[in-house]
């Protein structure tokens, strides 16, 4: 797992209201209400800005998008050689 990407994703989620006890990299942050349906667009924009990437509809609809572990892999795949 790419730890710098993981840490930045966790920091972005923290800004959305904090992470509940027991939160793991495999927790579905949408189901947990950390990012609700109203905030998801802002979260997507934050991710794209933070990592200088573009997320497609396919990315956003994938199960990987809903967890830190999945997002870390997804973002890492979009910028395999880019520094943070």
């Amino acid at each position: 797992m790419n730890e710098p990407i993981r840490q930045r994703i966790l920091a972005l989620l923290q800004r959305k209201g904090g992470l509940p006890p027991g939160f793991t990299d495999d927790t579905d942050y949408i189901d947990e209400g950390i990012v609700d349906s109203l905030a998801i667009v802002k979260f997507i924009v934050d991710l794209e800005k933070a990592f200088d990437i573009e997320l497609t509809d396919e990315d956003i609809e994938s199960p990987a998008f809903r967890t830190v572990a999945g997002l870390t892999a997804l973002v890492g795949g979009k910028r395999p050689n880019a520094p943070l």
Side-chain angles (χ1 to χ4, degrees):
M1 182 173 291
N2 187 319
E3 190 60 22
I5 291 174
R6 178 182 170 273
Q7 289 299 321
R8 287 185 78 180
I9 291 169
L10 286 170
L12 289 172
L13 286 172
Q14 283 281 15
R15 289 193 341 212
K16 301 295 178 195
L19 302 177
F23 184 87
T24 72
D25 288 353
D26 294 318
T27 301
D28 186 321
Y29 62 85
I30 296 172
D31 281 351
E32 290 293 318
I34 296 166
V35 179
D36 64 23
S37 59
L38 296 175
I40 196 73
V41 174
K42 173 78 170 100
F43 183 59
I44 292 166
V45 170
D46 289 346
L47 286 167
E48 289 179 330
K49 275 179 145 178
F51 297 107
D52 193 26
I53 60 170
E54 184 174 330
L55 294 168
T56 66
D57 289 345
E58 185 177 300
D59 295 331
I60 295 164
E61 293 169 2
S62 79
F65 183 78
R66 301 175 71 95
T67 66
V68 170
L71 266 178
T72 300
L74 195 153
V75 170
K78 289 188 173 280
R79 35 183 336 222
N81 299 317
L84 289 176

